[in-house]
Amino acid sequence: MARNIQSLERAAAMLRLLAGGERRLGLSEVASSLGLAKGTAHGILRTLQAEGFVEQDQASGRYQLGAELLRLGNSYLDVHELRARALVWTDDLARSSGESVYVGVLHQQGVLIMHHVFRPDDSRQVLEVGAMQPLHSTALGKVLSAYDPVAHTEAVENVHEAFTPRTVTAPEGFEELLDLTRARGWGSDVEETWDGVASVAAPIHDRRRMPVGAVGVTGAVERVCADGEVRPELVAAVRDCARAVSRDLGAGRF
């Protein structure tokens, strides 16, 4: 069996470490976290910096991810057919709903946000492309778990963390949610992942009528819901968007 290249493994671990933090890391912190000698860590960081994958703050000497890594990631997302087909329809959905719109796909044990349209107002917002969301509590995750057998397996085989008091963690309760999602054709998350936040999502299918992703809107619970239930007009708008993207992918009418 072919052996892995240790230096590449260490570089990959270093990039993951920098991606997982909310602040820049110093050389000592990087070396200590990865169990490396300072000289080894510095050599890898210097190489990654030369390639543009890591940047060093001149004032503090600390390291963070570089622009080249973002460019490569966005290049992958840009050529993804699902994202390309969803661009126009998700822009329309954001305008009509007044809320943020997300397109997510299954990735490992979670939902990878591959497209994000900002809420059309002047509020300060952060682009969440590349972020991961849980399968068991989010609207996107429930939709993927309900329609995609692989996502379902990933969801049921992992521990369901209780993010809020409303998060459903029991296997039986989760399966009931998935049954409801399939029966309705859409999934919701009303303060199950974040307090004060609600979302609704619907599945996207390809030309083989296989589930390839989900699209949804997310916003403050008082805007997304009325009397504790997701507003019917938002459900209709999200489902219309999902159908439109599915048609563009060759799925025909659902």
Side-chain angles (χ1 to χ4, degrees):
M1 186 175 68
R3 296 176 59 188
N4 293 339
I5 301 175
Q6 188 181 58
S7 58
L8 292 180
E9 289 181 329
R10 289 173 171 174
M14 200 167 286
L15 292 174
R16 293 192 187 98
L17 176 66
L18 293 172
E22 297 182 355
R23 59 189 177 89
R24 299 182 179 96
L25 296 177
L27 173 60
S28 296
E29 293 169 301
V30 172
S32 175
S33 296
L34 299 179
L36 300 175
K38 281 188 179 181
T40 301
H42 185 253
I44 296 172
L45 284 167
R46 189 173 63 244
T47 302
L48 291 173
Q49 184 179 0
E51 296 297 328
F53 296 136
V54 165
E55 295 174 356
Q56 185 179 29
D57 180 68
Q58 295 302 313
S60 66
R62 292 175 174 268
Y63 295 89
Q64 64 184 19
L65 293 181
E68 181 64 13
L69 197 65
L70 179 63
R71 186 190 70 79
L72 289 177
N74 283 338
S75 175
Y76 165 75
L77 294 172
D78 285 340
V79 299
H80 199 294
E81 185 180 8
L82 174 55
R83 182 178 185 275
R85 298 292 185 181
L87 288 175
V88 173
W89 300 111
T90 50
D91 282 349
D92 289 346
L93 178 58
R95 282 192 294 268
S96 65
S97 68
E99 302 294 348
S100 300
V101 177
Y102 297 88
V103 177
V105 296
L106 175 67
H107 180 66
Q108 296 178 351
Q109 291 85 41
V111 182
L112 172 67
I113 302 302
M114 59 175 301
H115 185 50
H116 174 199
V117 183
F118 282 167
R119 184 172 62 254
D121 59 21
D122 295 327
S123 62
R124 186 171 181 268
Q125 301 174 64
V126 177
L127 186 66
E128 295 186 45
V129 171
M132 294 292 293
Q133 293 186 1
L135 282 169
H136 70 281
S137 62
T138 61
L140 293 171
K142 291 175 192 174
V143 166
L144 291 173
S145 300
Y147 287 89
D148 184 341
V150 177
H152 179 266
T153 299
E154 294 289 355
V156 299
E157 288 185 351
N158 286 280
V159 176
H160 291 180
E161 180 180 351
F163 299 109
T164 76
R166 301 187 61 155
T167 308
V168 175
T169 58
E172 299 82 3
F174 181 64
E175 291 295 350
E176 289 176 3
L177 285 177
L178 298 189
D179 289 341
L180 179 60
T181 298
R182 284 186 287 266
R184 299 188 301 191
W186 55 276
S188 64
D189 164 12
V190 181
E191 297 189 282
E192 294 175 53
T193 310
W194 303 281
D195 288 323
V197 177
S199 58
V200 56
I204 298 171
H205 297 81
D206 65 7
R207 61 185 59 87
R208 301 166 298 164
R209 300 212 168 189
M210 296 293 292
V212 293
V215 59
V217 298
T218 298
V221 67
E222 61 268 19
R223 296 195 307 266
V224 175
C225 298
D227 299 322
E229 299 292 333
V230 177
R231 295 179 184 274
E233 63 270 24
L234 278 181
V235 174
V238 169
R239 296 191 72 188
D240 285 346
C241 178
R243 292 189 189 104
V245 178
S246 297
R247 285 197 299 271
D248 278 2
L249 288 170
R253 289 188 173 274
F254 273 81

